[in-house]
């Protein structure tokens, strides 16, 4: 007989706190670029809600593109291998590029993406990540703006999944599993 796994969610960052922080980040980003054209590059799929909310506070000089890489599959641990699944549509040469990440964990994905985009000679390349787990870092890489630093725990919601579920939650939650 197989036992079902019971998953429970514990809210870690509620919707009002998330939205207030995103608005504050957008103001800092807006000031940094001071009216210059900015290309937001969302890292799929996890950043889709963050990017959507962030860009609504950034005014008119913004374009959007997406890149997708994979390293986790359906598991909670990284495989250590980063593969490009979907490349950018837009040529980033001589453009201000802001990479929009959902979460930086070991830093492997971000390190890889920074290297990949830097060789395409953007005018500038910066990173905003909604979440960061500093205690999990194995690959040190620069992040210009971080929404929230969190403990080294697996979280879901607001774009982040477990086996493709929970992305649509409007808050960030810890995922607990019991048999
Ligand atoms: P890294 O390469 O920094 O180890 O991992 C980055 C990617 O792993 C994130 O973009 C995200 O897709 C996934 N990831 C890392 N930590 C978590 C987590 O706590 N929850 C979820 N759902 N995904 C995570």
């Amino acid at each position: 007989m197989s036992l079902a796994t019971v998953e429970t969610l514990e809210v870690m960052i509620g919707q009002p706190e998330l939205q207030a922080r995103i608005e504050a980040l957008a103001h800092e980003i807006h000031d940094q670029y001071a009216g210059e054209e900015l290309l937001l590059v969302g890292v799929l799929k996890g950043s889709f809600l963050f990017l959507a909310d962030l860009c609504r506070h950034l005014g008119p000089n913004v374009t959007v593109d997406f890149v997708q890489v994979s390293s986790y599959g359906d598991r909670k641990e990284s495989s250590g291998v980063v593969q490009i699944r979907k490349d950018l549509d837009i040529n980033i040469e001589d453009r201000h590029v802001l990479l929009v990440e959902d979460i930086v964990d070991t830093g492997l994905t971000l390190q890889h993406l920074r290297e990949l985009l830097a060789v395409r000679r953007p005018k500038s390349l910066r990173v905003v990540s909604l979440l960061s787990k500093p205690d999990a870092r194995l690959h040190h890489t620069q992040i210009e703006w971080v929404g929230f630093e969190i403990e080294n725990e697996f979280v879901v919601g607001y774009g982040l999944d477990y086996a493709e579920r929970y992305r649509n939650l409007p808050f960030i939650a810890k995922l607990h599993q019991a048999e």
Side-chain angles (χ1 to χ4, degrees):
M1 189 178 82
S2 67
L3 292 172
T5 305
V6 179
E7 294 175 359
T8 50
L9 299 172
E10 181 190 342
V11 177
M12 181 190 264
I13 308 169
Q15 194 171 5
E17 199 184 346
L18 266 181
Q19 294 303 325
R21 182 70 186 122
I22 291 166
E23 197 172 336
L25 283 171
H27 286 306
E28 287 180 31
I29 291 166
H30 188 266
D31 289 350
Q32 169 76 45
Y33 294 96
E36 291 202 67
E37 292 242 342
L38 175 62
L39 172 62
L40 299 178
V41 173
V43 185
L44 291 171
K45 299 178 190 170
S47 73
F48 80 109
L49 289 182
F50 177 40
L51 186 143
D53 285 339
L54 187 73
C55 74
R56 275 180 270 204
H57 297 289
L58 285 177
N61 288 333
V62 167
T63 46
V64 174
D65 201 356
F66 293 96
V67 68
Q68 186 170 22
V69 294
S70 64
S71 63
Y72 276 49
D74 280 355
R75 294 170 302 120
K76 286 165 77 173
E77 300 296 324
S78 170
S79 62
V81 179
V82 177
Q83 290 176 316
I84 299 268
R85 281 193 180 168
K86 183 220 169 286
D87 206 338
L88 296 171
D89 296 326
I90 296 177
N91 179 1
I92 64 169
E93 186 170 350
D94 214 24
R95 301 182 73 130
H96 290 297
V97 174
L98 180 63
L99 207 47
V100 182
E101 269 279 20
D102 51 356
I103 187 164
V104 181
D105 184 16
T106 66
L108 179 76
T109 308
L110 182 57
Q111 191 182 55
H112 187 87
L113 274 170
R114 266 196 177 275
E115 286 168 9
L116 181 95
L117 298 185
V119 297
R120 302 183 187 182
R121 295 185 295 169
K123 196 183 276 178
S124 69
L125 178 58
R126 296 187 178 91
V127 176
V128 58
S129 183
L130 181 65
L131 304 174
S132 171
K133 296 181 191 172
D135 294 343
R137 204 74 86 248
L138 296 174
H139 306 268
H140 289 277
T141 181
Q142 201 175 339
I143 315 172
E144 280 74 10
W145 292 279
V146 171
F148 300 89
E149 289 195 341
I150 63 168
E151 304 280 304
N152 192 5
E153 291 171 302
F154 192 81
V155 292
V156 295
Y158 198 69
L160 289 154
D161 74 312
Y162 176 56
E164 293 300 329
R165 291 164 51 226
Y166 304 120
R167 291 192 196 277
N168 60 325
L169 299 177
F171 50 81
I172 300 285
K174 288 186 216 176
L175 180 66
H176 300 289
Q177 292 176 310
E179 291 201 343

